[in-house]
Amino acid sequence: MSEHCEEQEMEAEALEAIFMESFEVLNSAQPFKWSVKLMPVDCGEDKEEEERLNHVVIKLIATIPLDYPETSTPELDVDVIKGLAGDQVKEILAVANEEAEANAGMPAIFAVCEAVRAWLADNNVKGLDDGSMHAQMMRKMKEKEKAKAKQEQLQQFESQKESQDLTTAEQEEMTVRKRRAEGTPCNDENFYVWLQNFEEEQAQKEAEKEEEGEEEKGGKKKSGEKADVTKDRHTGFEQFSGKVGIMSLEAIEAAAEEAEKDSGDDVDIDDVDEELFDDDDDLDDLDFDSDEDSEV
């Protein structure tokens, strides 16, 4: 008796409780050998319903190694009860062994039975045991259809997953691109909507142009007002010639004569600062005759 015997016996009790009459112990001493009857639809004790609904039925045979489940996987075989040929048996064994490997290191018989039952449910059709050329062709066509449907489901799942992963901005961008690619059909309703928007845009542009023109006119007016402020300023000629109340040349000469009389002394020409009269050119430009005429 191996150290795993008790664990294997406990697994056998669990399988018997689950599958009841469909579970059978073929060898009660180590190495244990178990059998499980599997079909697509479990109809309980209704044998007629079971016969009508299930077109494929098998027995899964499991030989349990001494070091199972810690080290080894069970040795699996298939006995066909109904509706299957040799090719399908190979497929079932491949599915069963793959599931056993996936559950290595733990009790795996129940998981293997569920994987095989799922395969039977997917292939629960009449005529799988028919070895004729026509039957084989029909089976291949159905397999292709199933593979295609499975691929479409996978693509749909991936598309939904990508759609969920997209942010709101990315979804909006995709929607815009799709609209651009498809285009917008022109009809009376959307044309009038476009026309209304266009006219509003044009009216807004005209209003902006009018505002800009008014601002330009206001700027010119302000510059004109500034010019009016400078119009009352006096020129240098007016200030020098005495037209605005500043002393003229005649007033200066009169003041000099008065000062000479008061002093009683002759003015020495050498005492005059000549630098004050160096700007003869500026005096020549003055129109003294016009001033005298105006005074007359």
Side-chain angles (χ1 to χ4, degrees), residues 71-111:
T71 306
S72 301
T73 57
E75 298 175 6
L76 302 173
D77 197 5
V78 172
D79 284 345
V80 177
I81 297 176
K82 179 182 178 182
L84 294 171
D87 293 339
Q88 286 80 43
V89 171
K90 292 179 182 179
E91 292 182 23
I92 293 172
L93 283 175
V95 171
N97 287 316
E98 183 180 357
E99 190 66 25
E101 291 292 338
N103 290 272
M106 64 183 75
I109 300 302
F110 176 75

Side-chain angles (χ1 to χ4, degrees), residues 10-20 23 34 36 109-110 113:
M10 290 177 63
E11 184 178 2
E13 291 177 2
L15 292 171
E16 186 176 6
I18 294 170
F19 294 105
M20 294 185 291
F23 177 77
W34 305 328
V36 183
I109 300 302
F110 176 75
C113 291

Side-chain angles (χ1 to χ4, degrees), residues 118-261:
W119 186 96
L120 293 173
D122 290 339
N123 295 272
N124 188 26
V125 293
K126 292 181 179 180
L128 291 181
D129 55 347
D130 188 353
S132 65
M133 185 67 67
H134 175 72
Q136 292 179 8
M137 290 177 62
M138 293 299 295
R139 286 196 292 268
K140 288 181 179 180
M141 288 177 63
K142 289 181 179 180
E143 288 175 0
K144 288 181 179 179
E145 290 177 358
K146 288 181 180 179
K148 184 178 179 181
K150 188 175 181 180
Q151 184 67 23
E152 289 177 353
Q153 289 178 354
L154 181 61
Q155 290 177 354
Q156 186 177 3
F157 173 76
E158 292 294 336
S159 177
Q160 290 176 352
K161 186 177 179 182
E162 289 178 0
S163 177
Q164 291 174 356
D165 293 340
L166 290 176
T167 63
T168 304
E170 290 172 337
Q171 289 178 355
E172 290 178 355
E173 184 178 356
M174 288 182 64
T175 303
V176 171
R177 289 183 178 178
K178 186 176 180 181
R179 265 190 212 159
R180 289 177 179 172
E182 294 177 353
T184 303
C186 182
N187 52 39
D188 293 342
E189 183 178 356
N190 56 32
F191 172 75
Y192 286 121
V193 171
W194 171 85
L195 182 60
Q196 184 178 0
N197 294 333
F198 176 76
E199 290 177 348
E200 289 177 357
E201 290 178 1
Q202 293 298 113
Q204 186 176 359
K205 289 181 180 179
E206 291 295 331
E208 290 175 356
K209 287 182 179 180
E210 290 179 1
E211 289 179 1
E212 291 177 358
E214 290 177 358
E215 289 177 359
E216 290 179 358
K217 290 179 181 179
K220 291 180 179 179
K221 186 176 181 181
K222 288 180 180 179
S223 63
E225 291 175 355
K226 186 176 180 181
D228 293 339
V229 173
T230 61
K231 71 179 181 179
D232 294 332
R233 293 182 182 177
H234 302 289
T235 64
F237 172 75
E238 290 174 339
Q239 292 177 355
F240 188 77
S241 62
K243 288 185 177 181
V244 292
I246 302 176
M247 293 181 68
S248 62
L249 184 58
E250 290 82 355
I252 294 172
E253 292 177 352
E257 291 177 359
E258 186 67 27
E260 183 179 354
K261 290 177 181 179

